[in-house]
Amino acid sequence: MSDTTVRLSQSRRRRDENTAKMIHSLFLVNSSGDIFLEKHWKSVVSRSVCDYFFEAQERASEPENVPPVIPTPHHYLISVLRHSIYFVAVIQSEVPPLFVIEFLHRVVDTFQDYFGVCTEAAIKDNVVVVYELLEEMLDNGFPLATESNILKELIKPPTILRTVVNTITGSTNVGEQLPTGQLSVVPWRRTGVKYTNNEAYFDVVEEIDAIIDKSGSTITAEIQGVIDACVKLTGMPDLTLSFMNPRLLDDVSFHPCVRFKRWEAERILSFIPPDGNFRLLSYHVSSQNLVAIPVYVKHNITFREGSSQGRFELTLGPKQTMGKGVEAVLVSSQLPRGVLNTNLNPTQGTYTFDPVTKLLSWDVGKINPQKLPSLKGSMSLQAGASKPDENPTINIQFKIQQSALSGLKVNRLDMYGEKYKPFKGIKYMTKAGKFQVRT
């Protein structure tokens, strides 16, 4: 037996040992608790394994509180919740759970990229493409092709015309040729990429989660940020992206294209980019770095014992926005069950109150610092009802264009390996995540 044959057999054996530890089956569960799609890479695992997941789901107070890893007598169930769908992977033996969770997120992102949305209806409408994608993304239970631009060469995204043609001719969306990226030395980038206009755009998007107490003090505040890229460059460009203040970034997670050692040594992002859209990195900025709160709320919500009337006053204003406008502001609050109706007057925007769900919504729009928006008036309460135990919480959604709240700023973007000059653009945006004000 030759050395090459020995090496191949050893490699195959190691691969078999590894795949024994990887994903065995995948179940998709909707919000009603129904399994609407399943995929198996080895032998078929009975649906009854999901009973352990359903038991954990019943015990959880909120849908997102289901434990991500559930041990069973013979398997582990590892799940993520995205778009009201649970993606439940079945593992036969111990495996790093973050490895599986990351793969499941890749599956969701791929579905969203292919179908525009990742919903139960979209998955059912494109079930053939879904199975083709899962077959390519996981080889015998081991992740294989997870880059969207490579997958799109393997499996064509569905269109109305292609769906009609496939139905008539009985053909599939699977490409006829092996993708060039699979033969490239850089597995996430195709070879021979050509563009007339060479462009590279980067979006720095930060989402702030905060809880503000009734006196206006910050209880918790943190920022989750991402840098999304759209790179359409000819050839095999080598890019470097540097920041004014890279030390701000905590818990950084990179796309595989980033050279990690260079980041560790110099805090510079050096990479050969995938072709098209991709997430370059995600990061976290904690409250230890004194996260600035971009809006403030003045409130006066009062209920008196024995009275059938309550008072509701709310005023919003910008705070530490570095001169940028706060827009797309939406305020919502779950009022107490004893509130029958509201009689409020907004100085800006429109408000609605649902007497059944008790949900108050105020669509403010853009905040004008010279004339702050307010919502004031009275609430009608049930006669004889006792005073509510606690005041409602105010939830706020907003966007701030051309601003990264953390203060993160890109210094420069350079390109090596190609001789043309690309067009480069960087945009910033801050938006609210779970932003709550207690009253």
Side-chain angles (χ1 to χ4, degrees), residues 398-410:
F398 57 81
K399 288 181 182 177
I400 305 172
Q401 301 287 357
Q402 293 308 318
S403 170
L405 202 60
S406 67
L408 184 71
K409 196 164 185 65
V410 172

Side-chain angles (χ1 to χ4, degrees), residues 1 27-28 32 55-56 66 69 71 103 146 150-151 200 225-226 310 315 319 328 333 337 378 385 393 395 408 427:
M1 188 184 289
F27 294 95
L28 269 56
S32 305
E55 286 171 13
V66 175
V69 181
F103 174 77
T146 57
I150 300 297
L151 284 165
V226 298
T315 303
K319 178 184 177 185
S333 181
R337 284 180 294 178
S378 61
T393 300
N395 298 295
L408 184 71
K427 288 196 304 184

Side-chain angles (χ1 to χ4, degrees), residues 27-80:
F27 294 95
L28 269 56
V29 181
N30 62 19
S31 53
S32 305
D34 300 322
I35 298 170
F36 67 91
L37 187 134
E38 59 187 275
K39 172 80 174 95
H40 307 277
W41 282 272
K42 293 185 178 181
S43 58
V44 175
V45 174
S46 170
R47 284 186 170 203
S48 61
V49 75
C50 290
D51 291 346
Y52 297 95
F53 175 80
F54 295 138
E55 286 171 13
Q57 194 180 13
E58 283 177 17
R59 288 194 298 268
S61 56
E62 297 287 337
E64 54 266 24
N65 290 345
V66 175
V69 181
I70 301 169
T72 77
H74 303 292
H75 303 91
Y76 290 93
L77 304 181
I78 300 179
S79 65
V80 299

Side-chain angles (χ1 to χ4, degrees), residues 196 205 347 415:
T196 307
V205 182
T347 60
M415 185 183 78

Side-chain angles (χ1 to χ4, degrees), residues 44-343:
V44 175
V45 174
S46 170
R47 284 186 170 203
S48 61
V49 75
C50 290
D51 291 346
Y52 297 95
F53 175 80
F54 295 138
E55 286 171 13
Q57 194 180 13
E58 283 177 17
R59 288 194 298 268
S61 56
E62 297 287 337
E64 54 266 24
N65 290 345
V66 175
V69 181
I70 301 169
T72 77
H74 303 292
H75 303 91
Y76 290 93
L77 304 181
I78 300 179
S79 65
V80 299
L81 174 63
R82 295 273 301 270
H83 308 290
S84 301
I85 299 171
Y86 290 99
F87 291 74
V88 185
V90 181
I91 315 298
Q92 276 196 314
S93 54
E94 285 196 34
V95 60
L98 287 177
F99 179 93
V100 180
I101 287 169
E102 173 62 23
F103 174 77
L104 293 177
H105 282 299
R106 285 290 182 99
V107 169
V108 179
D109 293 340
T110 302
F111 288 174
Q112 194 158 5
D113 193 23
Y114 262 71
F115 314 134
V117 291
C118 182
T119 61
E120 181 180 353
I123 290 169
K124 285 180 175 177
D125 288 344
N126 299 281
V127 69
V128 174
V129 179
V130 166
Y131 279 115
E132 288 169 350
L133 284 170
L134 292 174
E135 198 63 44
E136 294 297 339
M137 293 182 79
L138 214 63
D139 177 26
N140 197 29
F142 197 89
L144 180 64
T146 57
E147 287 296 329
S148 192
N149 59 346
I150 300 297
L151 284 165
K152 281 177 180 174
E153 284 193 77
L154 283 163
I155 299 160
K156 300 289 183 277
T159 61
I160 295 172
L161 179 61
R162 191 174 288 133
T163 304
V164 171
V165 170
N166 289 354
T167 305
I168 295 169
T169 62
S171 55
T172 70
N173 287 23
V174 177
E176 293 178 4
Q177 295 179 334
L178 186 69
T180 52
Q182 298 292 77
L183 305 173
S184 166
V185 291
V186 181
W188 52 81
R189 186 174 179 85
R190 297 181 294 131
T191 55
V193 179
K194 289 185 180 178
Y195 285 103
T196 307
N197 298 319
N198 290 287
E199 305 166 325
Y201 298 103
F202 296 86
D203 291 331
V204 181
V205 182
E206 296 190 341
E207 196 170 272
I208 177 170
D209 298 331
I211 298 175
I212 314 296
D213 70 12
K214 57 184 178 183
S215 67
S217 301
T218 304
I219 299 173
T220 64
E222 57 184 25
I223 290 170
Q224 311 292 338
V226 298
I227 298 181
D228 286 330
C230 178
V231 177
K232 296 182 177 180
L233 299 175
T234 300
M236 196 67 73
D238 201 326
L239 304 180
T240 62
L241 190 71
S242 61
F243 300 95
M244 297 276 199
N245 40 8
R247 301 286 168 188
L248 280 172
L249 305 179
D250 300 330
D251 299 337
V252 186
S253 173
F254 300 103
H255 187 279
C257 68
V258 175
R259 297 178 178 103
F260 186 62
K261 285 188 176 178
R262 176 105 188 252
W263 169 261
E264 276 194 316
E266 304 174 47
R267 284 293 188 264
I268 288 175
L269 293 178
S270 172
F271 57 99
I272 294 174
D275 180 40
N277 296 302
F278 66 99
R279 177 154 292 173
L280 180 62
L281 69 95
S282 56
Y283 59 91
H284 174 254
V285 180
S286 66
S287 53
Q288 281 75 24
N289 289 316
L290 300 175
V291 174
I293 302 299
V295 296
Y296 68 86
V297 180
K298 289 182 179 176
H299 50 80
N300 179 22
I301 301 173
T302 54
F303 303 97
R304 284 196 299 274
E305 194 69 59
S307 173
S308 61
Q309 292 287 316
R311 190 73 193 154
F312 189 99
E313 295 181 5
L314 207 64
T315 303
L316 296 172
K319 178 184 177 185
Q320 301 185 61
T321 60
M322 293 168 278
K324 307 294 182 183
V326 183
E327 55 189 58
V329 180
L330 181 65
V331 177
S332 63
S333 181
Q334 190 73 47
L335 297 186
R337 284 180 294 178
V339 177
L340 296 176
N341 218 326
T342 59
N343 182 20

